[in-house]
Structure formats: structure tokens, C-alpha cells
Amino acid sequence: MNGIKLTSQTLIVLLLMLTAAGCGGGSIAMERGASKVPEVQVKAAGPEPEQPAESCNAIIEWVDFLMINGIKYQYNYEGTGKTADDQLGEKVGEVSYMLNDHACTDHVEKDGNAAFLPIGTEIFAMKGYKPEFRVIASNKVYEVMDNPKAATLGQLLDIEGKVDKVGLESAKDGSPIGDFSAEASAQFIQELLPLQHVGFNQVYEKIKHESGVFLRVHLLDGTSFRLVYYPEGNGFTAGAFGTDSLKALIMEQQAQIKAAAGLDK
């Protein structure tokens, strides 16, 4: 199978596969949680047809995403639960087009698009976070995947002062292995947030076919999200390259945690 053909339009919206290998809610997630970037062939984006699925001869597995105000979000199904009404902030938009059963592989995502949310679904800011980082729709937390206006990871991820700890997870099944020390967790976040946000496309060129280190950032409100770090390319799937000191910190903590857990590597 040929390698993935990525564009800014197709990066997180669709992954076309000949067999269904769903991840979470029936969709294949191109997310921070992938141990390797999936090698799939994606059709180049063209003019948006918004045609019914029956005219599309492809088998499509959509990422559970939405797009509003130029920002693409993905459902954080592993690190968040169903939201309550008192978590809803101001309304920031609503769904105007559902891709599932309606769009084909040449669809170009735009504001108001969602993979599985019906037309008219309201989108709200999430209290405690900037809407550029997290929003709520249909009682689910959608977390930023791509924000072209974010210059740093600190602007992409609204987590400064909100982190409890950083954990290490298995790259095989995502199960927890252990946690960074309190000092290492604080240093990790301190060095992570100033990193320049270059976008996933640039990082992908350096991390092709490389296995990643699964990290989970646990927030003070009990929610969490996954970051994957690729040491050879020194890159994060959040769309940034690390520093030498940050790489050393991650690899040192990984070695200590795995040794304590009785794992060789």
C-alpha cells in the first residue's frame, strides 16, 4: 500500500481504508494516540461536492470531528466523560453539514462540518477552557486537532496551570505504565508549551514509520488527553518539534518508569 498522502484539508477529516478497523465510536482516529501514523491512501481534496454517500464507491471511516471558526476538533473519547449542563459556556456555533452518509472522499471540510453530529447540533465553549482548545457538542468534549492560528503549543493547548501529572502509557494497548515524577511533570509542561507550533504535516515528514512514546497529560479537573512523542524525529503529533533537553527528560522518565514496572524497554 502506498504511503499516506496528506494535505491540510485531508489531515484529520478522513482516512480511507479497504477494511474497517475502527477506533473508538466506529471511526479511525488520526490522533495524538496513534503509535504509528497510519499508512493509507487518501484521495486529493477537490471542490466540495456534498454528494450523497450512495454515489460514492469508497468505504469511508470518518474521524469523529467537527470544525468551527477555522479550528478542527476531535472527540476526546478516552480522556473525558459525558458533560453536564453546568459545563456549557457560550454558544460558538452549530453543525450545518454531517459528512457521514452524505460526503465522499473528495470532500473539503469547512466551518459547520461534523462527521457524525446532525445538522443543527449546537456547539458550546467548555467552562474552564478557551474555546480554541475545547468545545462541547452533544454532551461530548471535542478537543483541538488543528488550529492554524496557534503559534505555539501553549496557544494550541490551554493547559497552563491546569496539569496534575504526566503519565506513560503502553504503545501496544494504551494501558498506563506509570507516572513522571512531580518535578519531571512540571518541567515537561514548562518546556512543552513554548514550542513552536508548525503543524502535523511538517512533523510527519520526520517521523514516518517511527514508533512513538505514548504520554497522557492528566488535568486537574480529572480529564486527560494523549500526546505521542517520536524520539528519532524529536516531534509531537500535536505539531511541534522538541528541544534536546525535553527529549532527554522524556527518555529518562520512560526508562525509569519502565524499569520500575519490570519492563526491559
Side-chain angles (χ1 to χ4, degrees):
M1 181 178 293
N2 293 332
I4 187 167
K5 183 177 181 181
L6 293 171
T7 69
S8 59
Q9 287 79 22
T10 60
L11 175 59
I12 70 165
V13 177
L14 61 87
L15 297 175
L16 175 60
M17 298 189 70
L18 297 180
T19 58
C23 176
S27 63
I28 299 175
M30 179 75 157
E31 58 159 331
R32 292 182 281 270
S35 60
K36 289 186 178 181
V37 177
E39 294 186 47
V40 295
Q41 185 69 33
V42 180
K43 197 171 184 179
E48 179 179 4
E50 297 197 357
Q51 56 188 342
E54 54 263 31
S55 65
C56 180
N57 294 321
I59 299 173
I60 304 174
E61 295 287 341
W62 299 105
V63 172
D64 190 355
F65 88 104
L66 64 83
M67 181 171 177
I68 194 73
N69 298 325
I71 302 174
K72 301 170 190 175
Y73 303 82
Q74 182 173 302
Y75 172 37
N76 182 348
Y77 67 92
E78 288 186 314
T80 62
K82 187 176 181 180
T83 60
D85 289 344
D86 61 4
Q87 292 178 277
L88 298 179
E90 64 178 357
K91 180 179 176 180
V92 294
E94 65 180 50
V95 176
S96 58
Y97 181 65
M98 184 176 73
L99 278 66
N100 191 45
D101 293 332
H102 296 93
C104 200
T105 57
D106 54 357
H107 179 85
V108 180
E109 73 276 4
K110 62 182 181 180
D111 282 350
N113 282 190
F116 301 109
L117 299 174
I119 293 174
T121 301
E122 295 181 312
I123 304 168
F124 298 91
M126 183 177 183
K127 289 183 178 178
Y129 297 98
K130 296 177 181 178
E132 291 82 3
F133 173 54
R134 281 179 170 177
V135 295
I136 296 174
S138 191
N139 298 115
K140 300 191 297 183
V141 176
Y142 285 81
E143 199 164 87
V144 65
M145 285 297 294
D146 181 32
N147 180 0
K149 295 181 180 179
T152 65
L153 286 195
Q155 293 180 10
L156 185 76
L157 310 171
D158 180 25
I159 60 173
E160 186 172 6
K162 302 171 184 177
V163 176
D164 178 31
K165 62 182 179 180
V166 178
L168 178 71
E169 297 182 331
S170 168
K172 295 180 180 179
D173 59 13
S175 59
I177 300 175
D179 297 328
F180 283 27
S181 68
E183 294 78 10
S185 290
Q187 183 181 347
F188 174 84
I189 298 300
Q190 183 178 8
E191 295 194 30
L192 179 78
L193 297 184
L195 297 178
Q196 181 184 5
H197 178 237
V198 299
F200 178 75
N201 280 356
Q202 287 193 39
V203 174
Y204 174 73
E205 293 302 316
K206 299 289 185 181
I207 65 170
K208 290 178 181 178
H209 318 305
E210 181 187 349
S211 295
V213 178
F214 278 31
L215 305 173
R216 182 160 292 275
V217 179
H218 297 266
L219 303 181
L220 294 172
D221 65 358
T223 64
S224 66
F225 63 90
R226 178 181 290 159
L227 286 176
V228 181
Y229 173 70
Y230 295 86
E232 292 182 19
N234 196 13
F236 294 89
T237 45
F241 292 105
T243 60
D244 290 341
S245 62
L246 187 54
K247 176 179 180 178
L249 174 69
I250 295 170
M251 303 314 293
E252 177 185 76
Q253 288 297 301
Q254 180 193 42
Q256 292 179 5
I257 292 170
K258 285 193 170 185
L263 301 175
D264 293 335
K265 294 182 179 180

